[in-house]
Amino acid sequence: MSFLRWMPPLLALLSIGVTGCPGNSGSSEPKPAPPQEVSVSLPGVDTSSLTPRERREWAAQVSELLSPCPDTPVNIAQCVKEQRACKACLPAAQLLLKQVKDGRSKKEREEAFRMRFDANKVKTLATDGSPEMGPPDAPVTIVEWADFECPFCRLMSPLLEGLVSRFDGQVRLVFKFYPLQAHVHGEPAARAAIAAMNQGKFWEMHHLLFENQDKLEQADIERYAQRLKLDPVKFRADLVSTETKARIEKDKKQAEEVGLEGTPLIYINGREVDLQLLTNPGQDLEDWVKLDLELLGKTPRPAPPKPAGTEAGAPDAPPSGSTTPAASATPAAGGSAARSAASAGPAKPAQPAQPRTP
């Protein structure tokens, strides 16, 4: 068969742009080009463990978000590369890297960045008259609103006290009362803690109430007061005094002013800690405090050697008398679906100040 016989149809196919047999896709539209990778390499940030997709996400975000310092109007990447004076730029890049590794969405990563570094997020909190642990002039102050019947408050308590021990002399923990309406024993327990505080035994009562969270009837509270050798007449009077009620109402009003939606509500140096944005509360809170000290020009206390069998990254054990249930207080790493009771919180409650639920 002559080749010349096939020339006319071949020329016709070429004239309409057909250069080969179509594949199984059935579409002649060109495939989209693969996303162009934004290459960002910053000193002090190791991205070697990231996948190509994660590296693109991290690089795009450090190139989009501005430096945490208002007087350094460049993006985070440029701030680190040029070694600008803003000391928070490198930690911000490292925070975003961790968020990418943990599988957080772009929105969650930005929320974590704002929570940690946005200057507009800092609030001034009055702490006068509240029970506290640690030196009053400590460079880092942690303020917690809690309910003694709240299971999540019980889980968080040893972590916060552990930070006071871990950073001895550098951290002050302030406790504020917020008994939730949903917890019938919350207010009687708060009253008992205040009555004990009036006799110098707040933290001892605090530990007993959390340790015996399922035993907060009046007879139980009376028994705890006896165990602490409190003056029974004064204790009973303080349980029902107007001053005790006023202390609780004052703390509740302040919490509502800052937007409390559930307990525990935690602030570190005036910044609210969104527990749902923490992956490993023990380690994340320790890192938070350590960075705050460094940004203030302080040298964080070195971590003591961990006892054999202790999980790496958790703060030191709290003072004796404070325990945590067997439920994990430090959830496994992963995306936003992997959370423990200590960091998990439900969708925002329909009414303010409802307890978080698993």
Side-chain angles (χ1 to χ4, degrees):
M1 185 178 294
S2 170
F3 175 76
L4 294 176
R5 181 179 175 182
W6 294 100
M7 283 297 292
L10 179 60
L11 291 173
L13 289 172
L14 291 173
S15 69
I16 61 174
V18 178
T19 58
C21 297
N24 295 329
S25 66
S27 173
S28 61
E29 295 182 4
K31 294 182 179 180
Q36 185 176 2
E37 182 168 347
V38 180
S39 178
V40 173
S41 177
L42 302 180
V45 184
D46 182 7
T47 62
S48 61
S49 63
L50 300 182
T51 66
R53 176 189 59 80
E54 290 172 336
R55 194 173 293 111
R56 285 194 302 270
E57 291 179 356
W58 173 80
Q61 208 149 26
V62 295
S63 300
E64 292 170 3
L65 291 173
L66 290 179
S67 134
C69 301
D71 57 352
T72 308
V74 298
N75 63 45
I76 295 171
Q78 184 178 346
C79 179
V80 176
K81 282 182 179 178
E82 297 177 357
Q83 297 183 343
R84 297 290 188 102
C86 180
K87 295 189 294 183
C89 284
L90 179 57
Q94 293 168 335
L95 170 71
L96 291 169
L97 176 72
K98 183 179 184 300
Q99 293 287 310
V100 168
K101 285 183 178 180
D102 290 343
R104 300 286 188 171
S105 67
K106 181 179 180 181
K107 181 182 178 183
E108 288 174 323
R109 298 194 301 267
E110 184 166 342
E111 286 175 350
F113 168 75
R114 301 291 181 202
M115 171 183 74
R116 190 65 188 85
F117 296 108
D118 189 344
N120 295 323
K121 296 287 187 181
V122 180
K123 296 179 180 179
T124 300
L125 302 175
T127 61
D128 55 301
S130 295
E132 59 184 47
M133 175 186 294
D137 59 347
V140 174
T141 294
I142 302 172
V143 178
E144 177 199 23
W145 277 268
D147 174 337
F148 287 108
E149 202 173 5
C150 166
F152 306 101
C153 298
R154 181 187 179 190
L155 288 168
M156 187 56 62
S157 176
L159 296 183
L160 298 181
E161 292 187 40
L163 292 172
V164 178
S165 173
R166 159 70 180 85
F167 297 97
D168 184 27
Q170 297 181 311
V171 172
R172 176 176 67 130
L173 173 61
V174 177
F175 185 93
K176 289 183 175 289
F177 303 92
Y178 201 102
L180 298 164
Q181 290 183 355
H183 293 156
V184 296
H185 301 102
E187 182 158 340
R191 288 174 173 272
I194 294 172
M197 177 179 71
N198 293 342
Q199 298 190 46
K201 294 290 184 71
F202 169 79
W203 291 105
E204 292 85 347
M205 180 63 81
H206 169 283
H207 294 152
L208 284 173
L209 294 171
F210 273 135
E211 287 171 6
N212 300 278
Q213 199 170 60
D214 58 340
K215 298 176 182 177
L216 296 177
E217 299 294 343
Q218 183 62 34
D220 299 316
I221 289 174
E222 293 273 359
R223 189 169 64 253
Y224 306 147
Q226 292 174 5
R227 187 184 305 182
L228 297 178
K229 297 181 170 39
L230 301 180
D231 181 321
V233 176
K234 178 172 175 51
F235 181 77
R236 293 190 189 100
D238 287 344
L239 278 177
V240 296
S241 73
T242 55
E243 291 80 8
T244 295
K245 181 179 180 180
R247 160 56 60 185
I248 294 173
E249 291 305 314
K250 179 181 178 181
D251 284 357
K252 289 178 67 174
K253 181 181 178 182
Q254 186 184 22
E256 287 159 4
E257 287 173 351
V258 299
L260 180 144
E261 294 179 343
T263 57
L265 174 63
I266 298 168
Y267 276 78
I268 300 180
N269 277 1
R271 289 184 179 276
E272 182 180 354
V273 180
D274 186 342
L275 300 178
Q276 297 190 66
L277 294 177
L278 303 184
T279 300
N280 181 330
Q283 185 63 61
D284 291 346
L285 290 172
E286 181 174 344
D287 291 343
W288 185 310
V289 170
K290 183 178 179 183
L291 177 58
D292 264 15
L293 290 168
E294 291 171 347
L295 293 177
L296 290 169
K298 309 291 184 181
T299 301
R301 295 273 185 268
K306 298 289 181 183
T310 300
E311 182 182 355
D316 294 344
S320 60
S322 178
T323 60
T324 185
S328 172
T330 52
S336 57
R339 302 288 182 269
S340 78
S343 67
K348 292 182 179 180
Q351 297 179 352
Q354 295 300 308
R356 303 185 190 278
T357 57

